[in-house]
Coordinates of all heavy atoms in Angstrom, one line a residue:
K289 N -83.5 -74.4 19.4 CA -83.8 -75.3 18.2 C -82.8 -75.0 17.1 O -82.3 -75.9 16.5 CB -85.2 -75.1 17.8 CG -86.2 -75.8 18.7 CD -87.6 -75.6 18.2 CE -88.6 -76.1 19.3 NZ -90.0 -75.8 18.9
I290 N -82.5 -73.7 16.9 CA -81.6 -73.3 15.8 C -80.1 -73.8 16.2 O -79.5 -74.4 15.4 CB -81.6 -71.8 15.6 CG1 -83.0 -71.4 15.1 CG2 -80.5 -71.3 14.7 CD1 -83.2 -69.9 15.2
I291 N -79.7 -73.5 17.4 CA -78.4 -73.8 17.8 C -78.2 -75.3 17.8 O -77.2 -75.8 17.3 CB -78.1 -73.2 19.2 CG1 -78.1 -71.7 19.1 CG2 -76.8 -73.8 19.8 CD1 -78.2 -71.0 20.5
N292 N -79.1 -76.0 18.4 CA -79.0 -77.5 18.5 C -79.0 -78.2 17.2 O -78.3 -79.2 17.0 CB -80.1 -78.0 19.4 CG -79.8 -79.4 20.0 OD1 -78.7 -79.7 20.4 ND2 -80.8 -80.2 20.0
K293 N -79.7 -77.6 16.2 CA -79.7 -78.2 14.9 C -78.3 -78.2 14.3 O -77.9 -79.2 13.8 CB -80.6 -77.3 14.0 CG -80.6 -77.7 12.5 CD -81.4 -76.7 11.6 CE -81.4 -77.1 10.2 NZ -80.1 -77.0 9.5
Y294 N -77.6 -77.1 14.4 CA -76.3 -77.0 13.9 C -75.3 -77.8 14.7 O -74.3 -78.4 14.2 CB -75.8 -75.6 13.8 CG -76.5 -74.8 12.7 CD1 -77.5 -73.9 13.0 CD2 -76.3 -75.2 11.3 CE1 -78.2 -73.2 12.0 CE2 -77.0 -74.5 10.3 CZ -77.9 -73.6 10.6 OH -78.6 -72.9 9.6
Y295 N -75.6 -77.9 16.0 CA -74.7 -78.7 16.9 C -74.8 -80.2 16.5 O -73.8 -80.9 16.4 CB -75.1 -78.5 18.4 CG -74.4 -79.4 19.3 CD1 -73.1 -79.2 19.6 CD2 -75.0 -80.5 19.9 CE1 -72.4 -80.0 20.5 CE2 -74.4 -81.4 20.7 CZ -73.0 -81.1 21.1 OH -72.4 -81.9 21.9
I296 N -76.1 -80.7 16.4 CA -76.3 -82.1 16.0 C -75.6 -82.4 14.7 O -75.1 -83.5 14.5 CB -77.8 -82.4 16.0 CG1 -78.4 -82.4 17.4 CG2 -78.1 -83.7 15.3 CD1 -79.9 -82.5 17.5
E297 N -75.6 -81.5 13.8 CA -75.0 -81.7 12.5 C -73.5 -81.5 12.5 O -72.8 -81.6 11.5 CB -75.6 -80.7 11.4 CG -77.0 -80.9 11.1 CD -77.6 -79.8 10.3 OE1 -77.0 -78.7 10.0 OE2 -78.8 -79.9 9.9
S298 N -73.0 -81.1 13.7 CA -71.5 -80.8 13.9 C -71.1 -79.7 13.0 O -70.0 -79.7 12.5 CB -70.7 -82.1 13.7 OG -71.0 -83.0 14.7
N299 N -72.0 -78.8 12.7 CA -71.7 -77.7 11.8 C -71.1 -76.5 12.7 O -71.8 -75.5 12.9 CB -72.9 -77.3 11.1 CG -72.6 -76.4 9.9 OD1 -71.5 -75.7 9.9 ND2 -73.5 -76.3 9.0
F300 N -69.9 -76.7 13.2 CA -69.3 -75.7 14.1 C -68.9 -74.4 13.3 O -68.8 -73.4 14.0 CB -68.2 -76.3 14.8 CG -68.6 -77.3 15.8 CD1 -68.5 -78.7 15.5 CD2 -69.2 -77.0 17.0 CE1 -69.0 -79.7 16.4 CE2 -69.7 -77.9 17.9 CZ -69.5 -79.3 17.6
N301 N -68.8 -74.5 12.0 CA -68.5 -73.3 11.2 C -69.6 -72.3 11.4 O -69.4 -71.1 11.5 CB -68.2 -73.6 9.8 CG -66.9 -74.3 9.6 OD1 -65.9 -74.1 10.4 ND2 -66.8 -75.2 8.6
V302 N -70.8 -72.7 11.3 CA -72.0 -71.8 11.4 C -72.1 -71.3 12.9 O -72.3 -70.2 13.1 CB -73.3 -72.6 11.0 CG1 -74.5 -71.7 11.4 CG2 -73.3 -72.9 9.5
L303 N -71.8 -72.2 13.8 CA -71.9 -71.8 15.2 C -70.8 -70.8 15.5 O -71.0 -69.8 16.3 CB -71.7 -73.0 16.1 CG -72.9 -74.0 16.1 CD1 -72.6 -75.3 16.8 CD2 -74.2 -73.3 16.6
I304 N -69.6 -70.9 14.9 CA -68.6 -69.9 15.1 C -69.0 -68.6 14.5 O -68.8 -67.5 15.1 CB -67.2 -70.4 14.5 CG1 -66.6 -71.5 15.3 CG2 -66.3 -69.2 14.3 CD1 -65.5 -72.2 14.6
Q305 N -69.6 -68.6 13.3 CA -70.0 -67.4 12.6 C -71.1 -66.7 13.5 O -71.1 -65.5 13.5 CB -70.6 -67.8 11.3 CG -71.0 -66.7 10.4 CD -71.5 -67.1 9.0 OE1 -71.5 -68.3 8.7 NE2 -71.9 -66.2 8.2
Y306 N -71.9 -67.4 14.2 CA -72.9 -66.8 15.0 C -72.7 -67.0 16.5 O -73.6 -67.2 17.3 CB -74.3 -67.4 14.6 CG -74.7 -67.0 13.2 CD1 -74.5 -67.9 12.1 CD2 -75.1 -65.7 12.9 CE1 -74.8 -67.5 10.8 CE2 -75.4 -65.3 11.6 CZ -75.3 -66.2 10.6 OH -75.5 -65.9 9.3
I307 N -71.4 -66.9 16.9 CA -71.1 -67.1 18.3 C -71.7 -66.2 19.3 O -72.1 -66.6 20.4 CB -69.5 -67.1 18.5 CG1 -69.1 -67.7 19.9 CG2 -69.0 -65.7 18.2 CD1 -69.5 -69.1 20.1
K308 N -72.0 -65.0 18.9 CA -72.7 -64.0 19.8 C -74.1 -64.5 20.0 O -74.6 -64.3 21.1 CB -72.6 -62.6 19.3 CG -71.2 -62.0 19.4 CD -71.1 -60.6 19.0 CE -69.7 -60.1 19.2 NZ -69.6 -58.7 18.9
F309 N -74.7 -65.0 19.0 CA -76.1 -65.5 19.1 C -76.1 -66.7 20.1 O -76.9 -66.8 21.0 CB -76.6 -66.0 17.8 CG -78.0 -66.7 17.8 CD1 -79.1 -65.9 18.1 CD2 -78.1 -68.0 17.6 CE1 -80.4 -66.6 18.1 CE2 -79.3 -68.7 17.6 CZ -80.4 -67.9 17.9
V310 N -75.1 -67.6 20.0 CA -75.0 -68.7 20.9 C -74.7 -68.3 22.3 O -75.4 -68.7 23.2 CB -73.8 -69.7 20.4 CG1 -73.6 -70.8 21.4 CG2 -74.1 -70.3 19.0
A311 N -73.8 -67.3 22.5 CA -73.5 -66.8 23.8 C -74.7 -66.1 24.4 O -75.0 -66.2 25.6 CB -72.4 -65.8 23.7
Y312 N -75.5 -65.4 23.6 CA -76.7 -64.7 24.0 C -77.7 -65.7 24.6 O -78.2 -65.5 25.7 CB -77.3 -63.9 22.9 CG -78.8 -63.6 23.0 CD1 -79.2 -62.7 23.9 CD2 -79.7 -64.2 22.1 CE1 -80.6 -62.4 24.0 CE2 -81.0 -63.9 22.2 CZ -81.5 -63.0 23.2 OH -82.8 -62.7 23.2
N313 N -77.9 -66.8 23.8 CA -78.9 -67.8 24.3 C -78.4 -68.5 25.6 O -79.2 -68.8 26.4 CB -79.3 -68.7 23.2 CG -80.7 -69.3 23.5 OD1 -81.7 -68.5 23.6 ND2 -80.8 -70.6 23.6
C314 N -77.1 -68.7 25.6 CA -76.5 -69.4 26.8 C -76.7 -68.4 28.0 O -77.1 -68.9 29.1 CB -75.0 -69.6 26.6 SG -74.2 -70.4 28.0
Y315 N -76.6 -67.2 27.8 CA -76.8 -66.2 28.9 C -78.2 -66.2 29.3 O -78.5 -66.3 30.5 CB -76.4 -64.8 28.3 CG -76.7 -63.6 29.2 CD1 -75.8 -63.3 30.3 CD2 -77.8 -62.8 29.1 CE1 -76.0 -62.2 31.1 CE2 -78.1 -61.8 29.9 CZ -77.2 -61.5 30.9 OH -77.4 -60.4 31.8
L316 N -79.2 -66.2 28.4 CA -80.6 -66.3 28.7 C -80.9 -67.6 29.5 O -81.7 -67.6 30.4 CB -81.5 -66.2 27.5 CG -81.6 -64.9 26.8 CD1 -82.6 -65.0 25.6 CD2 -82.0 -63.8 27.7
T317 N -80.3 -68.7 29.1 CA -80.5 -70.0 29.7 C -80.0 -69.9 31.2 O -80.7 -70.4 32.1 CB -79.8 -71.1 28.9 OG1 -80.2 -71.1 27.6 CG2 -80.0 -72.4 29.6
E318 N -78.9 -69.3 31.4 CA -78.4 -69.2 32.8 C -79.3 -68.4 33.6 O -79.5 -68.7 34.8 CB -76.9 -68.6 32.7 CG -75.9 -69.6 32.2 CD -74.5 -68.9 32.1 OE1 -74.3 -67.8 32.5 OE2 -73.6 -69.7 31.7
I319 N -79.8 -67.3 33.1 CA -80.7 -66.4 33.9 C -82.0 -67.2 34.1 O -82.5 -67.1 35.3 CB -81.0 -65.1 33.1 CG1 -79.7 -64.2 33.2 CG2 -82.2 -64.4 33.7 CD1 -79.8 -62.9 32.4
A320 N -82.5 -67.9 33.1 CA -83.8 -68.6 33.3 C -83.6 -69.7 34.4 O -84.5 -69.9 35.2 CB -84.2 -69.2 32.0
Y321 N -82.5 -70.3 34.4 CA -82.2 -71.3 35.5 C -82.1 -70.7 36.8 O -82.7 -71.1 37.8 CB -81.0 -72.2 35.1 CG -80.7 -73.2 36.2 CD1 -81.5 -74.3 36.4 CD2 -79.6 -73.0 37.0 CE1 -81.2 -75.2 37.4 CE2 -79.3 -73.9 38.0 CZ -80.1 -75.0 38.2 OH -79.9 -75.9 39.2
K322 N -81.4 -69.6 36.9 CA -81.2 -68.9 38.2 C -82.5 -68.4 38.7 O -82.7 -68.4 39.9 CB -80.3 -67.7 37.9 CG -79.9 -66.9 39.2 CD -78.9 -65.9 38.8 CE -79.5 -64.5 38.9 NZ -78.7 -63.4 38.6
E323 N -83.4 -68.0 37.8 CA -84.7 -67.5 38.2 C -85.8 -68.6 38.3 O -87.0 -68.4 38.5 CB -85.2 -66.4 37.3 CG -84.3 -65.2 37.2 CD -84.3 -64.4 38.6 OE1 -85.4 -64.4 39.3 OE2 -83.3 -63.9 38.9
S324 N -85.3 -69.9 38.2 CA -86.2 -71.1 38.2 C -87.3 -71.1 37.1 O -88.4 -71.6 37.3 CB -86.9 -71.2 39.6 OG -85.9 -71.3 40.6
Y325 N -86.9 -70.6 36.0 CA -87.8 -70.6 34.8 C -87.7 -72.0 34.1 O -88.6 -72.4 33.4 CB -87.6 -69.5 33.8 CG -87.8 -68.1 34.3 CD1 -87.4 -67.0 33.5 CD2 -88.4 -67.8 35.5 CE1 -87.6 -65.7 33.9 CE2 -88.6 -66.5 35.9 CZ -88.2 -65.5 35.1 OH -88.4 -64.2 35.5
I326 N -86.5 -72.6 34.2 CA -86.3 -73.9 33.6 C -85.8 -74.8 34.7 O -85.1 -74.4 35.6 CB -85.4 -73.9 32.4 CG1 -84.0 -73.3 32.7 CG2 -86.0 -73.1 31.2 CD1 -83.0 -73.3 31.6
D327 N -86.0 -76.1 34.5 CA -85.6 -77.0 35.6 C -84.1 -77.5 35.3 O -83.6 -77.2 34.3 CB -86.5 -78.2 35.7 CG -86.5 -79.2 34.5 OD1 -85.5 -79.3 33.8 OD2 -87.6 -79.8 34.3
K328 N -83.6 -78.1 36.3 CA -82.2 -78.5 36.4 C -81.8 -79.4 35.2 O -80.7 -79.2 34.6 CB -81.8 -79.1 37.7 CG -80.4 -79.4 37.9 CD -80.1 -79.9 39.2 CE -78.6 -80.1 39.4 NZ -78.2 -80.5 40.7
D329 N -82.7 -80.4 34.9 CA -82.3 -81.3 33.8 C -82.2 -80.6 32.5 O -81.3 -80.9 31.7 CB -83.4 -82.5 33.8 CG -83.3 -83.4 35.0 OD1 -82.2 -83.4 35.7 OD2 -84.3 -84.0 35.3
V330 N -83.2 -79.8 32.2 CA -83.1 -79.0 30.9 C -81.9 -78.1 30.9 O -81.2 -78.1 29.9 CB -84.4 -78.2 30.7 CG1 -84.3 -77.2 29.5 CG2 -85.7 -79.1 30.6
Y331 N -81.7 -77.4 32.0 CA -80.5 -76.5 32.1 C -79.2 -77.3 31.9 O -78.3 -76.9 31.1 CB -80.5 -75.8 33.4 CG -79.2 -75.1 33.7 CD1 -79.0 -73.8 33.1 CD2 -78.3 -75.6 34.6 CE1 -77.9 -73.1 33.4 CE2 -77.1 -74.8 34.8 CZ -76.9 -73.6 34.2 OH -75.8 -72.9 34.5
S332 N -79.1 -78.5 32.6 CA -77.9 -79.3 32.5 C -77.6 -79.8 31.0 O -76.5 -79.7 30.5 CB -77.9 -80.5 33.4 OG -78.0 -80.0 34.8

């Protein structure tokens, strides 16, 4: 929700500033998909 808020606003300066946070959640998302915690549509 935090990442998507700034994405929708096209506020890439904030996303750059917190790139490790973005990468961390991307990592968790990949693991959750791999372990079938989230479905393919959400993951995609």
Side-chain angles (χ1 to χ4, degrees):
K289 287 177 187 176
I290 296 167
I291 294 165
N292 199 41
K293 174 188 180 294
Y294 291 109
Y295 174 76
I296 289 170
E297 296 171 354
S298 295
N299 194 340
F300 293 101
N301 289 331
V302 171
L303 294 169
I304 288 170
Q305 186 177 356
Y306 294 100
I307 191 63
K308 289 187 180 184
F309 174 72
V310 174
Y312 157 70
N313 207 59
C314 182
Y315 176 82
L316 289 183
T317 302
E318 289 178 2
I319 288 176
Y321 177 68
K322 186 174 106 180
E323 297 295 326
S324 301
Y325 295 171
I326 58 175
D327 68 29
K328 185 176 183 175
D329 292 338
V330 171
Y331 172 77
S332 296

